[in-house]
Amino acid sequence: MARVFGEKGYDLLINSSGERLEKAASDLKSLGVEVTPVQSDLSTYEGVEQLWREIEGTGRPVDAIAINAGIGVGGDFVRETDLDEELKIIQLNVASVVHLAKRILKQMVARGEGKVLITSSIAGTMPAPLQAVYGATKAFDLSFAKALRNELKDTSITVTALQPGATNTDFFHRAGMEDTEVGSEGKYANDPAEVARQGYDALMANKDHIYASSVKTKLQGELGRFVPDSIKAEQHRKMSEPKEEKEKKSA
């Protein structure tokens, strides 16, 4: 996402809590834009405040922001997953989105311009068994983005929701879901660079949302509006179930 903005001439302020931040910043400077890396943990209140202080410290207004940080975990909510992990998912995927949007949008409204891209997911359009907390956070992000867009419709501020399908990133490895149909699909279904490009283009075109990036993902999103939640829940469960469990059931 940062690379797409940089290629379009935006100076960048990028955030991560991980060790790859400095390498990413070095790579992005090759685009000929100014790059400011900020290492902070957005799953904490102080981490978001630290990022905001760094943003304000540049002395420059925010023309556009991609609120993109997110994590997930796979497994049965009652029998398998860890409460602390799930509370961290809520902190990062929900609380930090609200927190950062509040800070950024006040600045944007005061100066009368700005663009906000909030990453939801196609999972935000359906019940998500075996990713129950993650799916719920992405449903929140989608609803939040659309509500903000409506509240700001009489301003020059635009808000767009990006809804990727399974994408070839570290997400499924970190979520412990590599041995699932959706985790395997993520290795080839959607190219992250293309997801980012489509998200950027939708933001610049002032679209309310975009399913990204493959034809399959777009069809799934559009047709899903006409499919009962009970059916979508079963489909999601099958995609998110470990292959070993499927084999046991079919044996």
Side-chain angles (χ1 to χ4, degrees):
M1 188 70 74
R3 178 167 291 277
V4 171
F5 276 89
E7 288 171 348
K8 301 298 183 180
Y10 280 85
D11 288 330
L12 304 170
L13 188 148
I14 61 173
N15 164 264
S16 174
S17 62
E19 66 221 6
R20 294 183 296 180
L21 180 64
E22 291 298 332
K23 174 67 164 56
S26 177
D27 291 345
L28 290 166
K29 286 177 182 177
S30 67
L31 298 174
V33 298
E34 184 177 328
V35 182
T36 303
V38 178
Q39 188 160 22
S40 68
D41 182 359
L42 299 189
S43 68
T44 68
Y45 182 93
E46 180 52 37
V48 180
E49 285 296 292
Q50 179 186 344
L51 175 58
W52 176 241
R53 286 193 297 268
E54 295 285 352
I55 292 171
E56 287 194 303
T58 67
R60 300 174 62 182
V62 178
D63 293 313
I65 185 169
I67 302 180
N68 185 57
I71 53 174
V73 65
D76 183 287
F77 176 77
V78 176
R79 302 172 185 89
E80 296 175 344
T81 55
D82 178 74
L83 176 60
D84 288 339
E85 282 189 54
E86 287 165 329
L87 292 176
K88 185 174 182 178
I89 291 169
I90 294 169
Q91 283 298 122
L92 184 60
N93 296 11
V94 175
S96 79
V97 174
V98 173
H99 189 165
L100 191 54
K102 179 73 84 171
R103 299 293 191 218
I104 291 292
L105 283 167
K106 281 184 175 293
Q107 183 199 86
M108 288 182 171
V109 169
R111 59 189 286 257
E113 60 180 308
K115 298 180 181 297
V116 178
L117 182 68
I118 294 176
T119 298
S120 173
S121 168
I122 197 162
T125 64
M126 65 190 75
L130 305 183
Q131 282 186 287
V133 173
Y134 171 77
T137 65
K138 291 302 170 179
F140 175 93
D141 290 337
L142 179 60
S143 177
F144 183 58
K146 289 186 174 183
L148 292 179
R149 183 179 177 87
N150 178 269
E151 290 183 9
L152 295 166
K153 66 181 181 179
D154 295 326
T155 73
S156 297
I157 318 301
T158 66
V159 181
T160 300
L162 172 60
Q163 296 177 260
T167 303
N168 187 11
T169 67
D170 287 341
F171 176 86
F172 294 104
H173 172 70
R174 295 177 67 186
M177 295 183 66
E178 288 183 300
D179 187 35
T180 64
E181 186 176 339
V182 69
S184 299
E185 177 184 314
K187 295 175 182 177
Y188 60 82
N190 290 303
D191 173 24
E194 183 61 18
V195 170
R197 187 192 66 76
Q198 289 189 14
Y200 175 89
D201 289 346
L203 180 67
M204 294 301 135
N206 190 20
K207 293 184 178 179
D208 65 338
H209 79 109
I210 184 168
Y211 299 115
S213 64
S214 67
V215 172
K216 179 180 178 181
T217 295
K218 294 179 185 296
L219 286 173
Q220 186 180 2
E222 294 297 339
L223 296 176
R225 294 179 298 162
F226 308 103
V227 178
D229 278 353
S230 58
I231 293 176
K232 288 191 286 188
E234 280 302 317
Q235 290 173 337
H236 193 282
R237 183 187 185 105
K238 290 175 183 176
M239 293 282 289
S240 301
E241 197 169 41
K243 293 177 182 177
E244 184 179 341
E245 292 299 317
K246 284 187 177 181
E247 290 168 2
K248 285 180 181 177
K249 289 180 181 178
S250 61

